Amino acid sequence: MELLIFGHSGRAVLFFPTRMARFFDYENWRIVESLQNQLYSGELQLFCVDSIDSESFYNWHVHPEVRIKRHLQYEDYILNEVMPLMRVKNDGDLFEVAGCSMGAYHAINLALKHPWLFKKAVCMSGRYDLTLRLQDFKDLFDGYYNQDIYFNMPMQYVANMHEAHTLNSIRQIEIILAIGETDPFLQNNKDFSDLLWHKGISNRLHIWGDYAHRPRYWRQMVQLYL
């Protein structure tokens, strides 16, 4: 597993890539460049991790149970290898998580399941229930369902959250959602924002003009929200 680190100090951001993208794509798309002032000044440090979506959610050659198991192995890697590395490279306690498209799903899912690790989650152009069919975007588990899938679909498990300690920890996270007004995931973002508010979890939903599901928009979003 490879990753890239940009910056030397400041708020440490775990940055998940888009669907089946690579750890270097945010640099290639000049999203990292758009944050150069914060990176050079020591305000921000980015940890751009790699993706295994092609081995998990988008691996049509294996059973859906295997897909979600592979995702859980990826989550273990993030928690047990990447997060310790972040603590070695950054001695602060201002850890944040962010992502675009599928990366937004990864970001909020990790933050909600491990809220004590992060103070902020920035989710751009994401969808938060991968079992839903949204226009041309299919159910990534082909109708299959089990407990592992349930506990990794934020729209589903947040709806049934009642444990006070967990909810109070989540309420400490600054949550930002950004989505384009013609993005197929728009309604999912509205529903997710409403669900969070229903659970007493404050969040900010920013609706951008147009589709806004492209690097040129994400370059602007990270400047505003990271």
Side-chain angles (χ1 to χ4, degrees):
M1 296 298 290
E2 299 170 280
L3 55 79
L4 282 169
I5 303 173
F6 299 94
H8 58 277
S9 64
R11 295 176 290 111
V13 179
L14 173 61
F15 206 0
F16 285 101
T18 62
R19 179 180 61 174
M20 295 189 287
R22 300 301 309 278
F23 64 98
F24 47 75
D25 282 324
Y26 287 139
E27 180 182 25
N28 290 349
W29 296 337
R30 296 189 292 114
I31 292 172
V32 173
E33 179 185 326
S34 70
L35 294 167
Q36 61 182 343
N37 290 339
Q38 296 96 316
L39 294 169
Y40 290 151
S41 68
E43 177 186 342
L44 197 65
Q45 189 174 32
L46 297 180
F47 292 79
C48 297
V49 294
D50 215 349
S51 161
I52 64 158
D53 293 334
S54 61
E55 300 177 24
S56 57
F57 299 129
Y58 290 91
N59 186 356
W60 311 124
H61 303 292
V62 300
H63 190 275
E65 183 179 12
V66 178
R67 297 174 207 165
I68 193 65
K69 292 289 187 186
R70 188 61 170 155
H71 165 71
L72 292 174
Q73 291 175 328
Y74 177 66
E75 185 176 281
D76 285 343
Y77 154 72
I78 296 294
L79 293 171
N80 298 316
E81 297 187 45
V82 176
M83 295 298 295
L85 175 67
M86 291 175 67
R87 295 185 187 99
V88 169
K89 298 292 185 179
N90 188 297
D91 58 5
D93 61 352
L94 300 177
F95 282 17
E96 305 176 8
V97 63
C100 304
S101 190
M102 179 60 83
Y105 157 81
H106 286 297
I108 197 64
N109 188 46
L110 193 71
L112 293 173
K113 292 171 66 176
H114 306 276
W116 50 88
L117 295 178
F118 304 102
K119 295 193 174 182
K120 185 176 180 180
V122 179
C123 306
M124 297 160 278
S125 307
R127 64 164 164 162
Y128 307 109
D129 187 341
L130 307 182
T131 68
L132 295 178
R133 183 179 181 87
L134 301 170
Q135 296 185 26
D136 294 332
F137 294 87
K138 60 179 291 185
D139 168 8
L140 297 186
F141 303 99
D142 303 320
Y144 178 80
Y145 195 75
N146 67 10
Q147 186 169 315
D148 286 337
I149 293 173
Y150 167 80
F151 281 112
N152 284 279
M153 297 301 114
M155 283 288 297
Q156 298 184 29
Y157 63 75
V158 170
N160 294 312
M161 274 187 176
H162 302 290
E163 205 278 314
H165 176 72
T166 301
L167 283 169
N168 287 336
S169 296
I170 293 173
R171 289 169 183 145
Q172 306 307 309
I173 303 173
E174 179 184 358
I175 298 176
I176 297 174
L177 309 174
I179 191 75
E181 64 182 355
T182 61
D183 193 308
F185 304 154
L186 173 62
Q187 190 59 51
N188 185 241
N189 276 253
K190 290 180 176 179
D191 293 343
F192 187 50
S193 176
D194 288 344
L195 174 61
L196 292 174
W197 281 113
H198 179 70
K199 290 294 183 178
I201 302 167
S202 62
N203 65 92
R204 286 185 284 151
L205 173 62
H206 299 277
I207 300 176
W208 285 56
D210 205 2
Y211 184 51
H213 201 123
R214 293 287 185 270
R216 65 188 180 94
Y217 291 98
W218 297 330
R219 285 194 290 270
Q220 299 173 61
M221 290 179 184
V222 295
Q223 290 177 314
L224 292 171
Y225 308 137
L226 285 187

